[in-house]
Amino acid sequence: MIQASPSTSEGSTLRLACPAKVNLALSVGARDDRGYHPVATWMVAVSLADTLTLTRTGEPSSLSVAFAEDALGTHRVDWPVEKDLSWRALEALEAHAKRTLGVEMVLSKRVPAGGGLGGGSSDAAGVLVGVNRLFGLGLPDGVLKSIAAGLGADVAFFVGAHSGETSAIGTGYGEQLSGAPHREVVWLVLIWPGFGCATAGVYKAFDDQPGPHEVDLDRVLTLAAGGLVSAHDPFNDLAAPACAAEPRLGNLRKKLADELETPVHITGSGSTLFLVASDEADANGLSKRVSERFGVASVPCSSIKRG
């Protein structure tokens, strides 16, 4: 279970880790009449995390966002606070509670924005979970997940992660979530190429590929139920389209694979790449090698075992 650490100031402050996620499997179907793509995916929360500090103030709410010194790569906050998903999560919670919740929110980010790791969604989930605790609202996870679903499918996944549901299968358009066994910890190396991928462009490249495009739920479930994940096991139907839509990503992926002689995977619609390591020492060694040899940001991390 992801723990929230209370401060010593009479319980008026909570500090939460807001983890990133990796898609260890992603199968995508053809675009339907509504213009959406059905999917089946296995998502796991990982140890790379933002830190969210919430303080109950009794004053008008505020949100401060900055990237930490140990963030994965170099980034700047170039979006308005009122557009941040964390702020929208607070607004949604206030609308449900029918009351104003005065809280100072300070977000120290380590997860890159727009990299397919779900950082913004995780931060929003942290706001829902943390503010619920801080103000004693008593809303059960089911209600929080319902509020989260209005913000995005990944937000609902991360609400579950705070209760120990750190591994899940997503179906439908990703909004239908069910727990996955995740019996073994997966050691990973996350690689940030220094740029993001436009999701719309990746899906267009996917649609332009020759079909048929069908969701393979059985393949996703088989991988999730199989215990230890090897370097060759993850798969992602959007990997090739992401590389087609952003050739720099394809070039880096090929160079990494050739140099390291191991499969290089992509999470979500990109742009974060990842390797599967055999253990912590292997992850540390691979991460160092990637950073030194290719000059790109990388970090070793592990999946968070289901609570």
Side-chain angles (χ1 to χ4, degrees), residues 23 26 115-116 197-199 202-203 236 238 242 249 266-272:
N23 299 84
L26 177 57
C197 285
T199 301
V202 173
Y203 272 99
N236 181 354
L238 295 181
L249 186 65
I266 295 174
T267 184
S269 58
S271 61
T272 303

Side-chain angles (χ1 to χ4, degrees), residues 48-50 66-76 108-113 117 190 192 291 296-299:
L48 176 67
D50 296 339
F67 280 90
E69 289 184 2
D70 59 345
L72 179 58
T74 302
H75 311 270
R76 61 188 178 91
S108 178
K109 291 191 63 64
R110 295 176 184 84
V111 182
L117 293 168
L190 303 181
W192 170 248
S291 295
V296 292
S298 68
V299 63

Side-chain angles (χ1 to χ4, degrees), residues 168-193:
I169 302 296
T171 53
Y173 301 114
E175 83 287 0
Q176 299 173 21
L177 298 172
S178 58
H182 192 202
R183 291 187 292 270
E184 302 288 343
V185 169
V186 185
W187 282 97
L188 304 166
V189 176
L190 303 181
I191 303 165
W192 170 248

Side-chain angles (χ1 to χ4, degrees), residues 1-5 14-19 52 54 86 89-90 93 101 105 121-145 147-148 151 155-164:
M1 183 179 298
I2 301 168
Q3 299 293 330
S5 302
L14 282 176
R15 184 170 292 109
L16 300 96
C18 300
L52 174 66
L54 302 170
S86 297
L90 177 63
L93 193 59
L101 304 167
M105 302 180 287
S121 295
S122 184
D123 300 336
V127 169
L128 295 177
V129 171
V131 173
N132 182 49
R133 294 177 186 171
L134 196 62
F135 285 81
L137 301 180
L139 301 177
D141 274 4
V143 172
L144 293 179
K145 288 180 180 179
I147 298 171
L151 299 167
V155 184
F157 165 72
F158 286 116
V159 167
H162 280 277
S163 298

Side-chain angles (χ1 to χ4, degrees), residues 12-286:
S12 62
T13 297
L14 282 176
R15 184 170 292 109
L16 300 96
C18 300
K21 62 86 183 170
V22 167
N23 299 84
L24 292 177
L26 177 57
S27 178
V28 182
R31 183 174 57 187
D32 61 19
D33 293 339
R34 298 172 57 193
Y36 298 121
H37 295 80
V39 302
T41 184
W42 178 27
M43 298 178 288
V44 296
V46 299
S47 55
L48 176 67
D50 296 339
T51 300
L52 174 66
T53 304
L54 302 170
T55 302
R56 184 170 177 168
T57 65
E59 302 293 333
S61 294
S62 63
L63 172 63
S64 173
V65 184
F67 280 90
E69 289 184 2
D70 59 345
L72 179 58
T74 302
H75 311 270
R76 61 188 178 91
V77 178
D78 56 0
W79 60 89
V81 166
E82 63 271 15
K83 298 293 185 181
D84 195 284
L85 199 57
S86 297
W87 187 261
R88 290 170 52 199
L90 177 63
E91 291 179 327
L93 193 59
E94 288 180 327
H96 181 88
K98 296 181 172 61
R99 57 180 285 199
T100 299
L101 304 167
V103 59
E104 177 188 74
M105 302 180 287
V106 179
L107 188 56
S108 178
K109 291 191 63 64
R110 295 176 184 84
V111 182
L117 293 168
S121 295
S122 184
D123 300 336
V127 169
L128 295 177
V129 171
V131 173
N132 182 49
R133 294 177 186 171
L134 196 62
F135 285 81
L137 301 180
L139 301 177
D141 274 4
V143 172
L144 293 179
K145 288 180 180 179
S146 178
I147 298 171
L151 299 167
D154 283 352
V155 184
F157 165 72
F158 286 116
V159 167
H162 280 277
S163 298
E165 300 169 6
T166 55
S167 171
I169 302 296
T171 53
Y173 301 114
E175 83 287 0
Q176 299 173 21
L177 298 172
S178 58
H182 192 202
R183 291 187 292 270
E184 302 288 343
V185 169
V186 185
W187 282 97
L188 304 166
V189 176
L190 303 181
I191 303 165
W192 170 248
F195 51 83
C197 285
T199 301
V202 173
Y203 272 99
K204 182 181 184 304
F206 173 81
D207 292 335
D208 289 343
Q209 288 183 333
H213 301 306
E214 297 180 355
V215 173
D216 191 346
L217 177 58
D218 287 343
R219 187 181 179 193
V220 174
L221 293 175
T222 297
L223 179 57
L228 187 65
V229 176
S230 75
H232 293 267
D233 285 338
F235 65 92
N236 181 354
D237 287 350
L238 295 181
C243 293
E246 179 46 86
R248 291 178 297 171
L249 186 65
N251 291 336
L252 177 60
R253 186 188 187 197
K254 184 178 186 306
K255 290 177 181 177
L256 286 165
D258 290 344
E259 170 79 16
L260 303 173
E261 298 182 335
T262 190
V264 180
H265 306 284
I266 295 174
T267 184
S269 58
S271 61
T272 303
L273 303 160
F274 71 93
L275 316 172
V276 177
S278 57
D279 53 28
E280 183 176 7
D282 186 37
N284 288 334
L286 281 171

